[in-house]
Amino acid sequence: MLTLYFLQSSRAIRPAWVLEELNVQYDLKFANRQADGSVPKDLGVPTAVGKSPAIQDGDFILGESGAITEYICDKYDTQHRLLPADPVKRARVREFMWASEGTFMLHIEAYFGARSSASPEALTKLVGATQHDLDWLENELSRSSTKYLVGDEVTLADAMMIFPLQVTFANKIGTEGKSWPKVQQWLKNVESGEGYQRTVKRTGHRV
Ligand SMILES: N[C@@H](CCC(=O)N[C@@H](CS)C(=O)NCC(=O)O)C(=O)O
């Protein structure tokens, strides 16, 4: 049985949702955040870096949410539902996957790291980077007019992108008084989906 190491309010929502979408049986090793939202010292995660998420599948241990979600698809998504076989669609999905960590989360983490000490000018720049990311996503969704990021069914693009968008809106990183209607509609589509709802019920995920 596959084990998912799941820290509350973390990127672990990504593999959890993928496992639920594919109806893969898994054990959930749950860790809560401390009362102030910080992460407990030892998450009990068996990777060297010890971050959430991680999985153990037999003897195989893997970290990094992008690598984990791809592994789950390679092993369990025989119909290529979430990671399409067609090279163009697959590349499109992976474009969002890479953007989710390498662009969106990068800017969010930089903002969180700097917000208590940086100058107002530096903070404005960091907030501007996230707003620019939202503009890009709004533009992508306007061009495609699909329910999800790549087509009208959930893919790994949605599973990876959901977390940075939830964090951005929950923490109001440059969002106050502004709107990105396509992005906000996409978030609604995701959060009302049956597989996503099942994931929240099983994990208690909240942002
Ligand atoms: N790039 C990694 C980032 C993992 C990461 O930073 N996870 C956070 C939670 S979202 C964590 O475990 N933080 C605890 C720590 O840094 O000790 C991924 O996508 O899995």
Side-chain angles (χ1 to χ4, degrees):
M1 168 98 65
L2 188 148
T3 300
L4 170 63
Y5 291 82
F6 187 100
L7 168 70
Q8 178 57 274
S9 307
S10 84
R11 291 163 172 90
I13 183 60
R14 294 164 164 168
W17 183 19
V18 171
L19 288 163
E20 291 290 338
E21 281 293 332
L22 297 174
N23 287 312
V24 179
Q25 300 286 307
Y26 63 101
D27 276 333
L28 193 67
K29 284 250 162 74
F30 184 87
N32 227 329
R33 285 185 182 263
Q34 284 164 327
D36 64 358
S38 62
V39 177
K41 258 209 162 54
D42 183 7
L43 283 176
V45 172
T47 54
V49 71
K51 292 195 183 239
S52 164
I55 55 163
Q56 178 150 11
D57 194 12
D59 288 340
F60 181 53
I61 291 167
L62 187 65
E64 284 294 330
S65 56
I68 295 169
T69 52
E70 285 206 29
Y71 168 78
I72 295 167
C73 286
D74 286 343
K75 185 156 177 192
Y76 300 101
D77 185 10
T78 49
Q79 306 293 311
H80 299 287
R81 268 184 53 212
L82 303 185
L83 190 56
D86 170 73
V88 170
K89 272 199 187 153
R90 191 180 178 92
R92 189 79 178 120
V93 167
R94 298 187 83 228
E95 182 182 20
F96 287 109
M97 294 180 73
W98 282 79
S100 74
E101 259 323 89
T103 303
F104 285 70
M105 284 310 299
L106 180 80
H107 293 149
I108 290 168
E109 300 277 18
Y111 168 80
F112 282 152
R115 69 179 160 180
S116 58
S117 57
S119 67
E121 294 76 22
L123 272 188
T124 303
K125 270 199 179 162
L126 289 171
V127 167
T130 289
Q131 289 172 328
H132 189 259
D133 297 341
L134 287 164
D135 291 343
W136 173 75
L137 190 56
E138 183 74 12
N139 191 43
E140 292 300 302
L141 283 162
S142 303
R143 286 198 304 140
S144 62
S145 289
T146 49
K147 182 172 179 189
Y148 294 106
L149 292 177
V150 183
D152 291 318
E153 305 294 336
V154 169
T155 67
L156 283 198
D158 307 289
M160 287 295 288
M161 285 290 277
I162 183 66
F163 186 67
L165 274 299
Q166 289 178 330
V167 171
T168 298
F169 283 100
N171 291 280
K172 301 189 173 72
I173 307 176
T175 59
E176 271 181 307
K178 294 198 172 279
S179 91
W180 287 269
K182 301 270 181 198
V183 174
Q184 284 157 289
Q185 182 58 52
W186 165 75
L187 262 176
K188 276 192 194 138
N189 294 343
V190 162
E191 289 175 344
S192 60
E194 190 273 327
Y196 180 82
Q197 294 265 320
R198 200 165 2 104
T199 313
V200 171
K201 212 167 173 190
R202 168 91 194 261
T203 61
H205 169 74
R206 57 174 189 273
V207 187

